[in-house]
Structure formats: structure tokens, C-alpha cells
């Protein structure tokens, strides 16, 4: 995954990523409100349902909020583990949760990310981060945040 699979475009900036994230927090719930429960629950073979995909975005927000906060402290590069995406989706039983609950949780976590990123000093934005066990070069925290937003947008395309 690191750094081969990433979602950050060459012209990305942290400021633009935060503007897009803020816009998604406003637009996505409204755009998703028209889906029926059957549309939320429908699963394709080897794929998540829309509920599970939204749950994956919740897991991503939880894990990345922790990374964005902790990467500001301690030795560089801040090294973090990837997380077990499929297992977390199943363990959290997102398929059985009400859509309103999932949307509220997703919005709340991402609002906190917007606040945390808004308080990041420039020196913290440039701190180096990397995935544990990766042979790729360290990246900046700013890059990681931009990549997080790109990853979310990749999945929002499927949801919307």
C-alpha cells in the first residue's frame, strides 16, 4: 500500500483538501438521504454494502484522527500500523446500524479532523510519517491528511 496506493493528486494542497472535506460534510448526507433501506443494505459478492462502506469511512476517520493527532509528537518518522479494514467493518456490525447513526458518526469524526488540522502549525504539517514495515519513503503529515481526503472521496463516489 505505502506509498504505491495513494489518493493524493499532484496538485493537492492541505488547504484544498480541507475545503473539499468540509464541503463533503455538508453535501453527502443530503445526497444520501434519498436512498432506500434496500439500497443501503444491498451487497455485491465480495463487496461491502453502502452501510458497510460508510462504516469503513468511520473506521478510517477514527484511525486517521489518532494518526493526525499523535504524529505531532515524538520521534520522526511517526510510524503507524495499517488497520484490519474488513474485520473492523464486521466487528462494528455497520450493516445492522441505522443510517442516521452512521452519518452522524462520520460527520462528527470528520468535523474533529477539520478542527485538528486547522490547528496544526506548519512545523507539524511537515513532520514525517510512515506505515510500519513499509519500504517506501516517509511522507509528510500534510501528505497523509490530503491522502485521507482523497481516499474518502474515492469511496464517496461509490456511495453517492
Amino acid at each position: 500500500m505505502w506509498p504505491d496506493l495513494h489518493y493524493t493528486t499532484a496538485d493537492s494542497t492541505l488547504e484544498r483538501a480541507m475545503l473539499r472535506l468540509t464541503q463533503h460534510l455538508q453535501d453527502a448526507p443530503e445526497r444520501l438521504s434519498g436512498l432506500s433501506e434496500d439500497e443501503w443494505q444491498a451487497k455485491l459478492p465480495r463487496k461491502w454494502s453502502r452501510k458497510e462502506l460508510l462504516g469503513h469511512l468511520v473506521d478510517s476517520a477514527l484511525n486517521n484522527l489518532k494518526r493526525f493527532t499523535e504524529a505531532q509528537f515524538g520521534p520522526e518518522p511517526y510510524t503507524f500500523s495499517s488497520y484490519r479494514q474488513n474485520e473492523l467493518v464486521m466487528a462494528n456490525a455497520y450493516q445492522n446500524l441505522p443510517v442516521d447513526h452512521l452519518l452522524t458518526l462520520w460527520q462528527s469524526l470528520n468535523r474533529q479532523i477539520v478542527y485538528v488540522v486547522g490547528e496544526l502549525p506548519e512545523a507539524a504539517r511537515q513532520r514525517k510519517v510512515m506505515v510500519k514495515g513499509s519500504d517506501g519513503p516517509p511522507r509528510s503529515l500534510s501528505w497523509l491528511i490530503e491522502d485521507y481526503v482523497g481516499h474518502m472521496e474515492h469511496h464517496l463516489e461509490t456511495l453517492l
Side-chain angles (χ1 to χ4, degrees), residues 60-115:
S60 180
L62 278 166
N63 280 278
N64 281 290
L65 177 58
K66 184 176 190 295
R67 292 170 182 167
F68 302 160
T69 305
E70 288 185 348
Q72 299 176 58
F73 313 104
E76 287 185 78
Y78 169 73
T79 305
F80 58 91
S81 298
S82 56
Y83 59 96
R84 295 174 174 236
Q85 301 174 63
N86 292 321
E87 290 88 345
L88 286 176
V89 167
M90 294 303 119
N92 282 291
Y94 293 123
Q95 185 76 344
N96 302 326
L97 294 176
V99 172
D100 288 347
H101 171 79
L102 290 171
L103 283 169
T104 300
L105 184 55
W106 175 78
Q107 284 178 299
S108 296
L109 289 166
N110 279 288
R111 282 189 187 112
Q112 184 62 25
I113 286 172
V114 169
Y115 295 138

Side-chain angles (χ1 to χ4, degrees), residues 117-159:
V117 172
E119 295 296 319
L120 279 177
E122 185 58 34
R125 293 174 181 203
Q126 299 311 313
R127 289 183 58 87
K128 298 301 180 198
V129 301
M130 71 182 305
V131 174
K132 184 186 284 186
S134 168
D135 58 359
R139 301 285 189 142
S140 70
L141 177 56
S142 182
W143 181 91
L144 183 64
I145 297 165
E146 293 168 47
D147 196 63
Y148 164 76
V149 175
H151 167 260
M152 182 188 66
E153 290 172 330
H154 166 77
H155 287 304
L156 283 176
E157 287 178 20
T158 302
L159 273 176

Side-chain angles (χ1 to χ4, degrees), residues 34-82:
L35 295 174
S36 70
E37 184 63 23
D38 286 343
E39 289 172 305
W40 277 104
Q41 295 268 354
K43 292 176 82 163
L44 296 173
R46 298 163 130 27
K47 300 279 185 182
W48 288 324
S49 69
R50 281 185 171 96
K51 277 187 173 183
E52 291 169 326
L53 185 53
L54 184 55
H56 167 65
L57 293 179
V58 166
D59 292 335
S60 180
L62 278 166
N63 280 278
N64 281 290
L65 177 58
K66 184 176 190 295
R67 292 170 182 167
F68 302 160
T69 305
E70 288 185 348
Q72 299 176 58
F73 313 104
E76 287 185 78
Y78 169 73
T79 305
F80 58 91
S81 298
S82 56

